[in-house]
Amino acid sequence: MQLHYYRTMNPNEEESSLTDRYQTTVPKSIRKALGLSKRDKLEWIIDESGNIRVGKKTRETEHFDPVFDQWLDFLEKDMLEHPERLIPIDEKWYEDMVFEFSGERGVGVPGFPPTLAEFIAQPLPFDMDEALPEDEEL
């Protein structure tokens, strides 16, 4: 009597090979499950246990928070209507604020150097001409 052993795969598992250039073909059932089309990007993630997950890379969508946007609109309106409420930042106030963030005097945190003078001397993270709509001026 001759016995034959067959290795069976889970129907949710697929296999593909790597070429000499480390390329592979995504099996049809996986393409269908992920909703992949030609030129889509794949995202490869190694989790903390060492397992690897592969998924369809989605486009980064701009975060929209209507509550935050309303709050910013409120602040803008209030500053324009009541400029007398604005308080200029002085060196002491700035140093106290940075101390609250860092827990140490004379130590900065990302984006906030230890002194107001250093903060003011930083280049802006964006170009002001590109940041403002065309109909607004400084």
Side-chain angles (χ1 to χ4, degrees), residues 41-53:
K41 301 241 184 243
L42 296 176
E43 179 175 54
W44 301 76
I45 301 168
I46 303 173
D47 66 21
E48 52 281 339
S49 63
N51 293 319
I52 298 171
R53 296 186 329 244

Side-chain angles (χ1 to χ4, degrees), residues 74 77-79 81-88:
F74 164 77
K77 182 180 176 190
D78 190 62
M79 286 189 281
E81 290 177 1
H82 304 283
E84 72 279 1
R85 294 181 183 168
L86 298 175
I87 301 168

Side-chain angles (χ1 to χ4, degrees), residues 45-80:
I45 301 168
I46 303 173
D47 66 21
E48 52 281 339
S49 63
N51 293 319
I52 298 171
R53 296 186 329 244
V54 180
K56 181 179 181 178
K57 176 79 174 170
T58 58
R59 287 188 174 159
E60 299 294 325
T61 56
E62 188 175 319
H63 180 70
F64 176 72
D65 184 342
V67 174
F68 185 70
D69 288 342
Q70 288 173 2
W71 180 70
L72 289 175
D73 291 342
F74 164 77
L75 286 178
E76 179 184 26
K77 182 180 176 190
D78 190 62
M79 286 189 281
L80 291 171

